[in-house]
Amino acid sequence: MSTAKKQYKRITVKSLHEMKQNGEKIAMLTAYDYTMAKIVDHAGIDIILVGDSASNVMAGHETTLPITLDQMIYHAASVVRAIERCLVVVDLPFGTYQGNSRRALESAIRIMKETGGHSVKLEGGSEISESISRILTAGIPVMGHLGLTPQSIYKFGTYTVRAKEEEEAKKLKEDALLLQKLGCFALVLEKVPAKLAKEVADSLYIPVIGIGAGVDVDGQVLVMHDMLGMTHEFNPRFLRRYLNLYDEMTGAFKNYILDVKSKDFPNENEQY
Ligand code: KIV
């Protein structure tokens, strides 16, 4: 059964705002390659995020910091070649927008020109407002990202829930309003108390997409490899696994190895 209230031929920034107004939740997943993007787009996802989590799940780095703009462009271009309906958001990687709004604009323009993606996402609030404003002047839609911002992991020191204390919650609420005022079309809120996330979503007209932020926001995002159960060392409370692909794939690989070693594969019908 579909819970979508209106059929959208293509998801745009405008349709996401309509969804919020109509109370239709927005479904977002990460993808980093052509094949996965094709499947998830055909399944009806609203937004694909080409996240810098590619640094972890695709490249095996411990943090999101090492991934480069060129590497993000490679992933995003592969995703864009696959999709027909969803909106594609591409993360600007660490070091390509902080503290230098000209550099931020150049990075965002490269993403738009070289990938065909539809928008960019940046982590942070008031401290990156100049970069956001400059990107927006070029007509490039920007998604914000507050709460746990993994590019600042060495400032936080841990990946635990953010904004539990009054002072940090206040700053987050101010930043959320600022991002909306600057012109961001949507906002990701990562790993913050559900009550705070609801308060933020209720106070904004732009959609708030949560990850570990409870149900009372305007949509949800998960990292594809986590929700498919391809990773099993990462077990945050917010993660719901829809498959256990790690075990299923391991089984398939073991069967293949056995078949090759026992000369069961290929059989007569599988050769020329
Ligand atoms: O890079 C990413 O996958 C993200 C999501 C966790 C929101 O930013």
Side-chain angles (χ1 to χ4, degrees), residues 47-252:
I47 307 176
I48 286 181
L49 169 65
V50 185
D52 58 359
S53 48
S55 180
N56 309 107
V57 295
M58 301 302 286
H61 294 296
E62 207 174 303
T63 72
T64 57
L65 276 67
I67 198 159
T68 66
L69 187 57
D70 284 338
Q71 287 164 343
M72 287 302 296
I73 286 171
Y74 168 79
H75 287 298
S78 309
V79 164
V80 171
R81 281 193 285 275
I83 58 106
E84 288 171 2
R85 177 183 172 275
C86 69
L87 185 96
V88 177
V89 180
V90 184
D91 265 341
L92 282 189
F94 176 69
T96 65
Y97 62 92
Q98 295 97 336
N100 184 338
S101 63
R102 280 182 194 278
R103 173 122 199 250
L105 178 59
E106 278 165 22
S107 308
I109 287 178
R110 277 201 65 199
I111 296 266
M112 302 300 281
K113 266 190 182 296
E114 296 178 40
T115 74
H118 309 131
S119 56
V120 295
K121 176 164 81 61
L122 284 70
E123 294 182 7
S126 54
E127 58 288 351
I128 57 155
S129 62
E130 259 184 54
S131 294
I132 291 177
S133 296
R134 199 179 278 258
I135 293 171
L136 286 165
T137 59
I140 300 172
V142 174
M143 178 179 269
H145 184 154
L146 298 173
L148 176 65
T149 47
Q151 291 180 14
S152 308
I153 184 57
Y154 293 114
K155 182 174 110 188
F156 299 141
T158 76
Y159 287 101
T160 52
V161 180
R162 305 303 315 168
K164 286 211 290 203
E165 307 304 328
E166 187 57 35
E167 201 181 325
E168 198 182 337
K170 183 169 169 281
K171 158 100 166 87
L172 188 144
K173 286 188 262 184
E174 285 165 4
D175 278 342
L177 283 171
L178 173 67
L179 294 183
Q180 172 174 271
K181 193 165 159 222
L182 291 175
C184 289
F185 74 92
L187 178 63
V188 165
L189 263 193
E190 181 165 353
K191 240 179 163 182
V192 297
K195 191 162 161 278
L196 172 65
K198 174 176 169 26
E199 216 182 302
V200 172
D202 288 350
S203 71
L204 300 183
Y205 56 79
I206 60 171
V208 173
I209 315 287
I211 172 164
V215 74
D216 290 320
V217 286
D218 306 303
Q220 300 292 329
V221 57
L222 284 175
V223 169
M224 179 190 275
H225 292 60
D226 297 334
M227 62 84 76
L228 290 177
M230 295 172 91
T231 51
H232 62 175
E233 62 287 352
F234 181 61
N235 288 301
R237 189 201 294 194
F238 67 75
L239 175 60
R240 185 179 292 181
R241 290 202 166 89
Y242 287 81
L243 281 175
N244 186 353
L245 270 193
Y246 188 94
D247 287 348
E248 289 202 33
M249 290 170 79
T250 303

